[in-house]
Amino acid sequence: MNKTLKITAAAALVGLMAFAAAGCGGGDKKAAKGPKDTLKVGVTNFADSLEPTDNYFGWVLMRYGLGECITKLDREMKVVPWLSDKWEIGSDKLTWTFHINDKATFSNGKKVTGEIVAQSFQRTFAKAPRAKSMFQVEYIKGEGQNVVIKTVKPVPNLPGMLGDPLFIVIDTTVNEKERDYRKMGPICTGPYAVKSFTKAKAIMTRNEHYWDGPVPFKTVEIPSIDDPNTRAMALQKGEIDVAVNIAAGDLALFKNKDKFNISEIASLRDILGRVNVRKERPLGDPRVRHALMKCMDRETYAKSLLKDTFFPGAPLMPPSTDYDYKNLYAANPDKYDVEAAKKLLAEAGWKDTNGDGYVDKDGKNLELDCILYTSRAELPIYAEATQASAKAIGMKINLKPVDYNILDKLTREGQYDISVCNTLTMSSGDAEVFVNMYLATGQEQNGSGYSNPEYDALSQKLAVEFDPAKRREIIIEMQKIHLKDASMIVWGHPKTNMVSNKSVVGADIQPCDFYWVTKDFKPAQ
């Protein structure tokens, strides 16, 4: 077992005992004073740059209060206006017209027009393959304060998709040769603008031209603190004012309501293990996949290892969404059953012929390479638990920590057996993007080799269905196929949290975690 992972998991489970001995909720007294001009927020950061069309780096622009889209998701995950104040779809079910709020301005003071928004979207489609995988357009054009989008096929959830940070609106009239988008980011419309950015730390300043109300802080500093225990320590010491996603074992340190506020909700996230189902890999045999699923005691993982801060997984969609989690979980064919798992391996020809404790076939042990990143405390916990569970049925799992962006590359290239990640299931007010991106044939994020004609047929049906009730039923049917095929490990569904000291008010976590630093964060009076 990897020593570094073992230490990380143990620390997340036990908590920082030194803090407890010093007195829970101690904190730096200076941190409780206000009002003040500078807000400090400790986060994890996976972005190498602020170019929104690279990878998923647009998320960072939105999370840091820099960029905004024409729509957003409210606390009930409904699509609501943002830079666009209204929209309509034509009778052809293809042509959408979005009206841009007349008050909206960029951080350089320039007005946001339909033409600039259209150019921003055109740039996104030209530079980001993921945009084309979400929907395809016949044209995008600006007409005064309107932006008109005609899609190639009906896209029922287009307003929600345009709320994805990939479609952050930028001022395309700014010369990219004069402004380095990777280091300074594009000119956007959010409450804050970039002063400096590195992967280790971002510093933002107040957008003096912000269009949607007063901006509370003059400066926002965002250090990247990938280790969750270090984030907890920094908040305890008063080195930061807000920490995003404190580990389960450390939340008790902040229960003192006179000094800290804990904002916690059921999240829209999955802890996933994408499995490589190519025929030449061990998990290409469905019997081996089902054996792996059956050896995992996901209820115990959630209850004991993660201290009831997770729901056990199996369906694709978490219980915080309206996609029949309860019934799908009850019908899961791969409930914890070690003996059934061993039987499946034997049927697949995997037996321990040399007495080393691991099953083998054709002279080779059954070994799986599991890649993961460790900046989220739960990932090594789940990975190590699964490693131990797999050993009990004679399966060996090698844990290989990698950087997030390396993990994404290795996963797309198929250089893994299990790829562990924490991912958002609803980024557009609807599950369509999520249920497609890892499992539908030909999708950019489908690096597993999984392909099922029945699943793809439902995906195509979903793409043109406008009725919400029928869309829900299609997504439920797609989840049933996922369970039948053991297409992907879903370990669990986390709660999410944001913890702040008393120098800040309004630091509340939202269901969709695009929105971290917002204009609603204010200094305490």
Side-chain angles (χ1 to χ4, degrees), residues 358-370:
Y358 293 104
V359 296
D360 57 83
K361 184 165 65 172
D362 300 330
K364 293 183 179 181
N365 283 349
L366 177 49
E367 291 193 38
L368 304 176
D369 289 334
C370 176

Side-chain angles (χ1 to χ4, degrees), residues 323 430 458 461-478:
Y323 292 107
D430 183 275
L458 287 171
K461 185 177 180 181
L462 180 65
V464 295
E465 180 56 68
F466 280 78
D467 185 286
K470 291 180 181 179
R471 291 178 65 81
R472 177 180 181 272
E473 289 304 315
I474 293 170
I475 290 167
I476 291 171
E477 290 302 311
M478 293 172 80

Side-chain angles (χ1 to χ4, degrees), residues 195-212:
K195 181 177 181 182
S196 64
F197 172 83
T198 66
K199 194 170 183 179
K201 187 176 183 178
I203 300 178
M204 267 71 66
T205 58
R206 179 186 291 140
N207 174 5
E208 301 294 347
H209 299 284
Y210 189 56
W211 64 280
D212 194 23

Side-chain angles (χ1 to χ4, degrees), residues 123-138:
R123 178 182 187 273
T124 298
F125 272 94
K127 297 176 73 68
R130 186 161 64 90
K132 298 184 184 72
S133 72
M134 293 172 70
F135 62 95
Q136 296 183 352
V137 297
E138 185 172 321

Side-chain angles (χ1 to χ4, degrees), residues 103-367:
K103 297 179 180 178
T105 57
F106 291 103
S107 60
N108 58 7
K110 183 178 296 183
K111 184 174 182 177
V112 182
T113 64
E115 183 178 0
I116 293 179
V117 173
Q119 290 171 357
S120 180
F121 290 168
Q122 289 162 359
R123 178 182 187 273
T124 298
F125 272 94
K127 297 176 73 68
R130 186 161 64 90
K132 298 184 184 72
S133 72
M134 293 172 70
F135 62 95
Q136 296 183 352
V137 297
E138 185 172 321
Y139 62 76
I140 305 173
K141 62 182 180 180
E143 297 177 348
Q145 283 302 106
N146 291 327
V147 56
V148 181
I149 302 174
K150 185 174 183 180
T151 59
V152 173
K153 298 178 180 179
V155 183
N157 191 38
L158 183 66
M161 290 183 174
L162 293 174
D164 188 294
L166 180 62
F167 295 100
I168 281 174
V169 174
I170 70 170
D171 183 359
T172 54
T173 66
V174 174
N175 191 325
E176 292 184 45
K177 294 181 179 179
E178 297 176 359
R179 182 181 180 89
D180 188 338
Y181 280 18
R182 295 181 62 82
K183 292 182 179 179
M184 294 300 294
I187 298 294
C188 300
T189 63
Y192 296 98
V194 179
K195 181 177 181 182
S196 64
F197 172 83
T198 66
K199 194 170 183 179
K201 187 176 183 178
I203 300 178
M204 267 71 66
T205 58
R206 179 186 291 140
N207 174 5
E208 301 294 347
H209 299 284
Y210 189 56
W211 64 280
D212 194 23
V215 180
F217 292 96
K218 183 177 180 181
T219 304
V220 177
E221 296 181 7
I222 306 182
S224 298
I225 310 175
D226 286 340
D227 179 68
N229 300 316
T230 306
R231 282 201 301 279
M233 183 183 295
L235 185 58
Q236 280 271 314
K237 290 183 175 180
E239 296 170 352
I240 57 176
D241 306 303
V242 180
V244 180
N245 285 323
I246 293 290
D250 294 337
L251 272 179
L253 301 172
F254 304 98
K255 294 295 186 181
N256 187 336
K257 294 183 179 180
D258 292 332
K259 297 179 179 178
F260 296 101
N261 176 64
I262 298 176
S263 176
E264 185 179 39
I265 57 173
S267 78
L268 298 166
R269 288 188 166 271
D270 281 4
I271 309 304
L272 290 181
R274 283 180 272 178
V275 295
N276 193 334
V277 303
R278 292 173 176 82
K279 290 183 179 180
E280 67 272 16
R281 310 294 285 222
L283 295 174
D285 187 329
R287 293 168 296 185
V288 178
R289 293 202 301 276
H290 283 290
L292 175 62
M293 305 292 177
K294 289 179 184 296
C295 84
M296 298 183 295
D297 188 353
R298 285 175 270 194
E299 288 192 12
T300 297
Y301 297 168
K303 184 174 182 62
S304 299
L305 297 184
L306 280 306
K307 301 184 182 296
D308 274 332
T309 60
F310 278 67
F311 298 94
L316 292 174
M317 299 304 297
S320 55
T321 65
D322 183 29
Y323 292 107
D324 209 25
Y325 165 86
K326 184 176 180 180
N327 290 324
L328 289 169
Y329 182 80
N332 174 28
D334 289 324
K335 295 182 177 66
Y336 179 53
D337 190 333
V338 171
E339 293 307 313
K342 290 179 179 178
K343 184 178 179 181
L344 281 170
L345 290 181
E347 289 175 1
W350 292 97
K351 299 178 181 179
D352 183 3
T353 62
N354 57 13
D356 68 350
Y358 293 104
V359 296
D360 57 83
K361 184 165 65 172
D362 300 330
K364 293 183 179 181
N365 283 349
L366 177 49
E367 291 193 38

